[in-house]
Amino acid sequence: MTPESPAVGTAKRVRIHHIAQAKREGTPITMLTAYDALTAPLFEAAGIDMLLIGDSIGNVMLGYSTTLPVTLEDIERATAAVARSTSRPMIVADLPFGSYESDVTAAFNASSRLMKAGAHAVKLEGGAHRADLIRHLTTNGIPVVAHIGYTPQSENTLGGPRMQGRGDAADRLSADVCALEEAGAFAIVFEMVPDSIATRLTAQTSMATIGIGAGPHTDGQVLVWSDMAGMSEWTPSFVRRFRELGVELQGATRDYIAAVRSREFPAKGQFAAE
Ligand code: KIV
């Protein structure tokens, strides 16, 4: 499928230099989560720049209440499905909880599996304390997207989803951004960070900043696709529901059930008479 009007400067595969160029030129970068070969091509056809195989797959697709149970195999299979079914967006795969924190070898081994599955970059959560790990990955050929602010894998130490970076904590985020940039990350997700802090950090760094619940002044935006498409029962306050696909799908299912029960389906032309 050919993407509708790609904004980030290429009709071919989006690569890290396109992301850097978009930041320099002030072109907003668009990212959505994707988990399968059914929906990823639709996002590509609409012109999305980056697809994130997020560990939100745990909540969205696998029925968990947190991202913590998600395994490397879960992300690996989803990454392969998205890679097989798309050709333009940059594919970023999340390193799931427990797959990378212990040491650089664990991080490299997990990342290389995701790259072999078709990812073009990996994302991992955490601030300055992840710098050595990121340096190891980037010097060994693996582009890294960092992720600070509210980091769901640490929800138990952060006390659940809540704004990060207020007051003195803003200086810590600023130090994190410096360390992660110096370590070689090419982009960074800011999740649930006040707009004023996200704006300041975006101006401070050469990394492309991608916000979720971080205001309109980051270099790009990311949302969990099922949230923005109205597939979730509840959505956080920073999400806009651009359509109500859940209602549509339920309506289609209701119509199907009614048509089968009334024997109106299958109708003439939908079956062979002999
Ligand atoms: O897993 C995910 O979907 C994410 C986004 C919320 C940034 O990390």
Side-chain angles (χ1 to χ4, degrees):
M1 292 188 207
T2 317
E4 266 173 32
S5 57
V8 167
T10 179
K12 297 194 187 137
R13 178 71 72 188
V14 176
R15 293 176 173 274
I16 59 173
H17 60 277
H18 299 120
I19 300 300
Q21 185 185 350
K23 178 176 177 100
R24 278 196 310 275
E25 295 175 355
T27 305
I29 300 159
T30 58
M31 182 190 239
L32 272 182
T33 62
Y35 315 108
D36 58 56
L38 178 67
T39 53
L42 303 177
F43 306 145
E44 169 168 30
I48 202 78
D49 301 313
M50 301 173 88
L51 290 174
L52 171 65
I53 294 59
D55 58 2
S56 52
I57 191 173
N59 313 66
V60 175
M61 294 288 167
L62 303 178
Y64 298 128
S65 58
T66 75
T67 61
L68 300 187
V70 173
T71 65
L72 189 59
E73 289 70 26
D74 293 331
I75 301 286
E76 199 175 20
R77 185 170 294 116
T79 299
V82 171
R84 278 194 294 268
S85 58
T86 59
S87 59
R88 178 183 176 271
M90 175 186 284
I91 298 172
V92 180
D94 249 346
L95 284 167
F97 180 67
S99 70
Y100 64 100
E101 301 88 337
S102 56
D103 56 64
V104 295
T105 307
F108 182 79
N109 289 343
S111 302
S112 69
R113 279 178 57 179
L114 299 179
M115 300 297 281
K116 285 176 199 289
H120 308 113
V122 299
K123 177 169 82 59
L124 58 89
E125 296 184 4
H129 62 293
R130 301 282 188 232
D132 287 345
L133 209 149
I134 291 175
R135 195 171 296 108
H136 186 73
L137 295 180
T138 54
T139 54
N140 285 288
I142 299 178
V144 174
V145 178
H147 182 162
I148 62 170
Y150 176 63
T151 45
Q153 292 175 11
S154 303
E155 67 156 74
N156 290 302
T157 46
L158 295 175
R162 52 176 59 179
M163 235 6 155
Q164 304 291 316
R166 287 198 167 117
D168 292 350
D171 291 339
R172 219 172 23 251
L173 288 187
S174 178
D176 284 339
V177 165
C178 288
L180 295 165
E181 175 174 347
E182 188 276 325
F186 75 98
I188 184 164
V189 169
F190 293 158
E191 181 163 354
M192 297 183 76
V193 171
D195 171 33
S196 57
I197 310 295
T199 304
R200 179 152 65 77
L201 297 178
T202 296
Q204 164 192 322
T205 182
S206 65
M207 293 184 288
T209 63
I210 302 180
I212 174 164
H217 300 113
T218 49
D219 298 309
Q221 297 288 332
V222 58
L223 283 177
V224 170
W225 85 257
S226 50
D227 287 344
M228 74 88 199
M231 290 286 286
S232 324
E233 268 177 31
W234 175 85
T235 45
S237 58
F238 54 78
V239 169
R240 182 183 302 171
R241 296 168 76 101
F242 288 87
R243 291 284 195 284
E244 289 297 332
L245 292 198
V247 172
E248 284 297 309
L249 192 52
Q250 214 178 87
T253 309
R254 259 199 217 102
D255 290 353
Y256 166 70
I257 291 170
V260 170
R261 286 185 180 156
S262 67
R263 299 198 181 281
E264 184 267 314
F265 176 84
K268 258 203 181 120
Q270 289 163 340
F271 59 89
E274 59 181 84

